[in-house]
Amino acid sequence: MARPGAACPPPARRVMVAARALLFWALVYSYCGVCACIAGLRLLWSIGRRPGETFRWVVRENPPACLNDPSLGTHCYVRIKDSGLRFHYVAAGERGKPLMLLLHGFPEFWYSWRHQLREFKSEYRVVALDLRGYGETDAPPHKENYKLDCLIADIKDILESLGYNKCVLIGHDWGGMIAWLVAICYPEMVTKLIVVNFPHPSVFTEYILRHPSQLIKSGYYFFFQMPWFPEFMFTLNDFKVLKSLFTSQATGIGRKGCRLTAEDIEAYLYVFSQPGALTGPINHYRTIF
């Protein structure tokens, strides 16, 4: 028998690792099932109340004028040699100035950085990117194409394609996760790191497993593991969930004077109402575990 405090022999250690892995995946899939049941009940409730409205989905044919506002910068595209993907971005400020690279979260796209594009273009070459799978950037069909290694490589390759070897890197939400990992893997490429609304990945992983309240708040991570159903739920009632995310008191932009305009909302609806536009963004989460 091993002494108290002694290292576990290899067979025992393997059993412990296997048990932890089993418990972890049991948690993931159990919570995924709970989230699916809750979403299903909401769907049934919506059908019962307003059956005609529940499945209404309007594809916006024309982009609102704000997406082509010249004060925000110039729409550009770059194709990455290794992946072959074409990325869309909006750039403001003179070429040659220090680069400020902006990575958006979910469910967003380059337009989320409109205020920063205007604010910092006098000092920086400001680039607001559509991440892989979002907006006008190419969206590979398979979820394996959205692994974190691929997303990190995207930023490195884009930086080099823009003619820079370092930048001020700013990320929000899921873009913050990518920004953290880029800074960890390629610290020489990041002169300053600014992350909004996303903790260090290691801290977040430990915290979410130890604090049930955070597990509940991050329930959409588990919900997004299912195929096609999350995309379907977003389209209900003409993207009611999307509208609520940006306008509700709980999650929306509610400070007086900073509310989204009707045109701003239409910009998001234009991008995400296109057929298949939600699959790429949600695929980012389908590889997280």
Side-chain angles (χ1 to χ4, degrees), residues 104-175:
H104 62 79
F106 174 88
E108 301 176 90
F109 64 115
W110 72 265
Y111 186 69
S112 297
W113 299 109
R114 57 197 176 282
H115 302 298
Q116 287 75 19
L117 284 163
R118 292 191 182 104
E119 178 68 24
F120 295 109
K121 66 182 179 182
S122 61
E123 300 177 50
Y124 294 91
R125 175 70 169 172
V126 188
V127 170
L129 186 68
D130 274 342
L131 295 176
R132 176 184 291 225
Y134 282 84
E136 294 184 58
T137 291
D138 286 348
H142 303 296
K143 70 177 184 179
E144 289 76 15
N145 297 123
Y146 295 86
K147 290 181 179 179
L148 288 171
D149 287 348
C150 298
L151 307 181
I152 296 167
D154 285 345
I155 307 307
K156 176 180 180 293
D157 293 342
I158 286 167
L159 193 68
E160 294 172 350
S161 297
L162 294 175
Y164 288 84
N165 55 24
K166 57 185 177 180
C167 69
V168 174
L169 187 60
I170 303 177
H172 168 247
D173 185 57
W174 187 255

Side-chain angles (χ1 to χ4, degrees), residues 206-253:
E206 290 295 324
Y207 191 88
I208 197 173
L209 292 174
R210 296 176 184 272
H211 296 79
S213 61
Q214 184 59 53
L215 188 67
I216 293 171
K217 292 175 183 177
S218 302
Y220 63 95
Y221 278 43
F222 300 88
F223 179 58
F224 285 170
Q225 301 310 304
M226 290 180 289
W228 71 263
F229 191 51
E231 290 94 321
F232 171 70
M233 291 300 294
F234 264 92
T235 65
L236 298 180
N237 296 289
D238 193 30
F239 297 89
K240 181 180 179 181
V241 171
L242 187 65
K243 297 172 189 174
S244 178
L245 280 172
F246 289 113
T247 60
S248 70
Q249 290 186 349
T251 61
I253 300 173

Side-chain angles (χ1 to χ4, degrees), residues 40-100:
L41 290 172
R42 288 177 175 172
L43 172 60
L44 293 174
W45 175 258
S46 178
I47 293 173
R49 290 184 62 198
R50 294 180 297 177
E53 289 292 313
T54 297
F55 301 106
R56 187 167 69 92
W57 169 5
V58 178
V59 176
R60 277 66 180 176
E61 299 289 345
N62 300 306
C66 61
L67 292 182
N68 292 306
D69 183 348
S71 72
L72 295 178
T74 305
H75 290 261
C76 307
Y77 301 86
V78 60
R79 188 171 296 278
I80 305 303
K81 290 182 180 179
D82 289 344
S83 66
L85 299 180
R86 189 184 75 156
F87 283 78
H88 168 253
Y89 64 92
V90 172
E94 296 177 10
R95 296 178 185 272
K97 288 185 176 181
L99 178 65
M100 177 181 285

